[in-house]
Every structure is written in structure tokens, then in C-alpha cells.
Amino acid sequence: MAGTGKYLWIMVVLQAAISASSLVVEIVAGRMIAPYVGMSLYTWTATIAVVLAGFSVGHWWGGRIAAHDSQNALRQTAWTMVSAALTTAAASLMLRGFEGPLIEAFSHPLAAITALSMVAFFLPSLFAGIPAPVLTVVAMRGHSQSERVLGVMFATGAIGAIFGTLLAGFFFVPRLGSMTTLMVIAVIYALAAVVCFALARVRGRDLGLGFAACLALVGLGYQTLSLPAICDEESEYFCIRTVTLSDAEGARVHLMVLDHLAHGISGEAEPRQMQTDHAAMLDALPRMRMGEKDFSSFHIGGGSFSVPRGWAAHGLGQITVAEIDPAVTQVAIDDFWLPADQVTVLHEDARMALRNTPTRYDVIIGDAFTDIAVPEHLITQEFFELVASRLTDGGVFAMNLIDNVDRMDALAAMIVTLQAVFRSVEVWTEARGPSMGERRIFVLLCGETPSPVSRLTAGSPDPMIFQPLDDAFVAQIVADKQPRVLTDDYAPISALIGFEPILN
């Protein structure tokens, strides 16, 4: 009955809607997991793999269902769409309920990301994968040009996937947020179930169970949308939160969290006082190299804007910050006391910002490393050559890096990459011995000449002593690791930072 031309357009619409919805869920999955484990190559790799695994099992199951007569196949497909709606609506609850135990159980980020993806998004993907083969077979039955129908159904699925991807990135997530988006998709799945039930001409018990499923969907939707928001603001790039560490009047201290990482801390009372080790080094080391003179600066990444805000309070010269997310800048103004009139903020990628202007700066600050999430295009030889071309004579480039002291693969790769561009590359860190398994913060200080001092005291906020690693020790690290220079063509920084424990 549904294979005649009269019903073909219904099959096409269903195919497009379900395919688009399933891709929206895939994009939202990465966004929803980010507040717990970050947004990185790991996140997308694991999430996409889990979703594709779900689709694959669903397609296999759908092929078995398609072997039944059309009415029975559509009836079973309707119930899989009910299941897709319920599991999609429950994804947020599953994520909230299991994130703590799973992250504790799996110490490695890739394992934790995969486990979270499986718990929350495997079943929605599995059930969403079932209709495609069923609808295609049903549409082909009784049609005089079944081969053309097959092509139409495949093309419709692909077009729906493209449309869903664009909708997720440009509309649903930035406009509605992740949880509301999932509820919209759950409703679409429920409507698809209603259409399949109608085409299968079901009555009696199926209708009663379907009504009960609708009530369950409403209950799940209410519970999901009643959950406290994880993000103060969910932008196109980050889940942004402001955490109050001290609320004393006139001496408030705030922590900015982007996705799952503490990105920066600022105190209201004294903007020149840094609150973290990496900010203290990024603040003090360039000022040490510049001496007493005024200087211009370009900052790669804003976050809490701790260093730019401090330098504005010092009355230093032109301060330019490339912060890709306007929402982060607004939070810095509202919650982190950024004097917007004293800092020029470019809301674009830092590499594009440097490439598109001939302006040269005395100091360029790179704050690209955030645990396992590192923008590869900001740590390559080609990018550092661009940075060097935008430095004045005697200018300084400082960038932070986080690496495990037991391996230091990322540190070795960054050293040789920077040495390919700069005459002097120093590795500064806290003046104390390493602890087993410690993820240590380093600042690489680059320029034409070495620093005039070998020790530096800076507050973060308590006074701390920082010093560069001995040249012989740095040379030994490079000799032991034999790293390759990172380029735009080859920059496996995520593997260097955190993937090797799984492989070894």
C-alpha cells in the first residue's frame, strides 16, 4: 500500500526529517559532553564513532524489519521511532546521572569520552538508524521504477544529513541550547512515529501504548528542561560559567570555566595581581624582557583576560586581544572587570587576525594549550613564522604549554618547532622538582636573545619563584624524544599530550 506513488512523497519526507534529526543529535552530543570532558579531537572522534556505530546497528536491524510486509514493517518502525524519541529525551538525564561515576571509573580522557557517548547517545542513534532501510524498501515496493526510488531515498537521506548538520551548528545550539534542541528532535521523532502508525493503519493496543509513550515523553521533557543549567551561557564555541571563589565586597574573586576547564581567575581589587601560575609567568616574563619601557602586545585568546587587564592597569601601550568568541568577551566585561575601553578585542581566529594586519608588536602572548584541547593551527612552524614576522626588533613571544613530566613528548615537539623559527627558546616553569605523573605548566619564551635573568619571583597570588630549564636538560629531552617539527601538514599534538597511554 505504501509502495505506490501516492505514498512516495511521505517516505521521502520521513527519510529527510529523520536523517536531519539524527545529525542534529550527533552535533549536539559533542556539545553536551564538552562541559564534562572538554571539546577536543578526542571528543569528536569518540562521539562520531559511537553515533556511527549506533547508525550501523540500526541499519542492520532495519534491514531485518524491512523483510516483513509493508504494514508490519511500518508498525515496527513506528515503535523504533517512539524509542528514538524517548531515548533522545532522556539523553540529558543519562549524561547527568552517569558522568560522575564514569569519569571516576575511566581515568583516561578518551575512555571517559567514549563511555559518556555510549551511555547517552548510542541508543538514540541506533533507533534513528532503523527507519532508513525500511522506508526505502517500502517506497520501492510496487513502484515501476524502483531503481530510481532507491536513488531518491539515498539522496534524500544525504540531503537531510547536510541540512541537519547546518541546522545544529547555525541555529539549534546557538539559539535554543543543547537540552531544548534534544527535546525538539524528540518531538520530531514522535511525529514520525505517528505518521508510521497511520500508514500502518494500527488500532487498539498499539494506539493505547502509543498514548502512554507520549505521556512518558512529556514527563522526560519536563524533567530534562527542569534540570539546572550547566552553563551560564552556551555560545557557539563554549559552555561558559562564572564561579565565585570569594564574594567579599570590593574583593571578589571569580573563576572562568570554559567547557570543563578552569580557564582563568581574576580578582576585583587588584587587576595587576595574577591568580594562577601560568598567568603569573605570561605576565611577568615579557615585562622582564621589555624592562621599564612601554610596549605593545597581541594576545592569542582572551578567556578571563587576566593578563590584558593587568597590563591595562600598568598603563602599558596598545593591547590587542584575538578572542574568537564574543560571548567570552562579554562575560569578561560583566564578571571579570575587563576595561573594554582600554583593550582592543578582535573577535576572530588569532591566526587570521595576525595574517590580515601588518601591525608589529613588541610582545605576542600565546595561550593555546588547555589540557587536551589544543588548536593545532596555532602551534605549527608556519604559525610561529607568522608570529615572528609580526614582532618588532627585539620582540618577545611567550606561550604556555601543559605536559606530563613523565613523558614531555609535547614539550619536546614544541621546543624543536620553536627553535626552527627563533634564535632563543627558553622553557620556564616553577622552581621545584617534578612530582610523579604531574601535568606541569611551562611557558616557552622566545626571541632573538636569552633573558638577562635566570630566576624570577611573581605572585600567583602568593609569591612563587620561576626559572628556565637548564639548556643541557632541554637538549637531553630533545635528544631522548627525537621529535618532529610540527607543521600545518603534521601536528598530532593531541596524541603527544594524551593518547600514548592507551597505545603503550
Side-chain angles (χ1 to χ4, degrees):
M1 53 82 191
T4 65
K6 176 182 177 182
Y7 293 101
L8 176 60
W9 69 271
I10 299 179
M11 302 294 113
V12 169
V13 171
L14 279 174
Q15 180 88 317
I18 295 169
S19 180
S21 299
S22 65
L23 264 292
V24 170
V25 172
E26 180 176 352
I27 300 299
V28 170
R31 176 67 267 160
M32 290 191 69
I33 291 173
Y36 306 104
V37 291
M39 181 68 74
S40 66
L41 179 64
Y42 285 175
T43 310
W44 285 116
T45 300
T47 301
I48 291 172
V50 166
V51 171
L52 290 179
F55 289 161
S56 298
V57 176
H59 293 334
W60 169 81
W61 190 355
R64 295 177 66 86
I65 292 174
H68 296 84
D69 64 86
S70 295
Q71 185 171 346
N72 190 23
L74 286 171
R75 175 182 169 276
Q76 293 185 54
T77 301
W79 280 114
T80 65
M81 283 290 87
V82 171
S83 300
L86 292 174
T87 53
T88 299
S92 298
L93 298 171
M94 297 293 287
L95 201 56
R96 296 283 185 98
F98 285 93
E99 57 91 9
L102 288 177
I103 290 175
E104 289 181 8
F106 298 98
S107 59
H108 194 281
L110 182 56
I113 293 166
T114 303
L116 284 172
S117 300
M118 286 289 295
V119 164
F121 296 104
F122 178 77
L123 286 180
S125 302
L126 185 155
F127 291 123
I130 291 174
V134 177
L135 297 175
T136 300
V137 170
V138 170
M140 291 172 61
R141 285 175 178 160
H143 202 286
S144 60
Q145 296 179 315
S146 58
E147 297 85 359
R148 292 189 179 183
V149 173
L150 178 65
V152 168
M153 295 300 287
F154 269 74
T156 299
I159 292 170
I162 294 169
F163 190 60
T165 302
L166 295 175
L167 273 177
F170 296 113
F171 177 75
F172 279 122
V173 173
R175 298 290 183 86
L176 302 182
S178 298
M179 289 194 296
T180 302
T181 295
L182 287 184
M183 292 312 305
V184 170
I185 299 304
V187 170
I188 293 174
Y189 286 156
L191 292 175
V194 170
V195 173
C196 289
F197 276 133
L199 290 174
R201 299 172 184 170
V202 298
R203 294 179 177 83
R205 181 169 175 269
D206 283 310
L207 292 179
L209 290 174
F211 181 73
C214 288
L215 293 179
L217 181 61
V218 171
L220 284 172
Y222 176 78
Q223 283 187 288
T224 296
L225 297 178
S226 298
L227 290 172
I230 295 177
C231 315
D232 294 337
E233 180 161 356
E234 187 174 10
S235 72
E236 289 90 341
Y237 299 94
F238 300 108
C239 169
I240 308 170
R241 288 176 286 165
T242 299
V243 178
T244 299
L245 301 181
S246 172
D247 58 359
E249 186 64 31
R252 292 174 293 174
V253 178
H254 289 169
L255 163 69
M256 176 180 283
V257 179
L258 300 181
D259 289 336
H260 75 309
L261 292 173
H263 194 275
I265 302 174
S266 287
E268 178 183 16
E270 179 47 75
R272 292 173 294 183
Q273 177 64 66
M274 297 298 111
Q275 304 286 332
T276 63
D277 295 358
H278 93 278
M281 284 189 281
L282 291 176
D283 166 52
L285 291 173
R287 290 197 293 115
M288 172 269 291
R289 290 290 290 266
M290 291 294 104
E292 298 298 324
K293 72 174 185 178
D294 192 12
F295 60 87
S296 61
S297 60
F298 181 92
H299 302 254
I300 300 169
S304 60
F305 285 77
S306 298
V307 175
R309 176 177 174 243
W311 288 6
H314 279 291
L316 297 177
Q318 175 190 359
I319 301 172
T320 303
V321 181
E323 168 53 62
I324 197 169
D325 192 346
V328 169
T329 301
Q330 191 58 53
V331 171
I333 294 171
D334 295 340
D335 296 342
F336 292 84
W337 310 282
L338 173 67
D341 58 335
Q342 299 179 47
V343 176
T344 300
V345 182
L346 307 176
H347 291 128
E348 58 182 316
D349 178 79
R351 185 161 176 167
M352 293 182 61
L354 282 175
R355 186 180 62 199
N356 293 337
T357 177
T359 304
R360 301 178 73 189
Y361 303 90
D362 298 310
V363 173
I364 296 179
I365 301 291
D367 190 3
F369 271 74
T370 53
D371 196 51
I372 62 172
V374 182
E376 286 88 350
H377 68 298
L378 298 181
I379 47 90
T380 66
Q381 180 180 351
E382 291 87 346
F383 176 66
F384 294 144
E385 288 170 349
L386 173 62
V387 168
S389 72
R390 295 298 184 265
L391 285 173
T392 58
D393 294 338
V396 177
F397 173 57
M399 65 168 288
N400 79 309
L401 179 152
I402 304 172
D403 201 6
N404 191 305
V405 297
D406 296 338
R407 298 195 313 274
M408 294 194 286
D409 298 297
L411 177 61
M414 293 309 307
I415 290 170
V416 297
T417 303
L418 288 164
Q419 287 176 340
V421 178
F422 296 96
R423 293 182 181 177
S424 173
V425 177
E426 299 172 348
V427 183
W428 287 75
T429 189
E430 186 182 350
R432 63 171 175 81
S435 302
M436 185 68 69
E438 177 189 1
R439 291 180 64 78
R440 176 69 76 95
I441 297 172
F442 302 93
V443 166
L444 294 105
L445 193 62
C446 312
E448 297 175 358
T449 59
S451 297
V453 301
S454 59
R455 289 173 73 87
L456 186 70
T457 300
S460 64
D462 297 326
M464 296 183 67
I465 299 174
F466 301 99
Q467 65 183 34
L469 299 181
D470 183 76
D471 289 343
F473 181 67
V474 170
Q476 187 62 52
I477 293 173
V478 172
D480 290 343
K481 298 298 180 180
Q482 292 292 308
R484 287 175 57 178
V485 172
L486 303 182
T487 66
D488 286 348
D489 182 59
Y490 177 83
I493 193 65
S494 295
L496 294 173
I497 292 174
F499 195 58
E500 288 190 349
I502 286 183
L503 300 181
N504 290 340

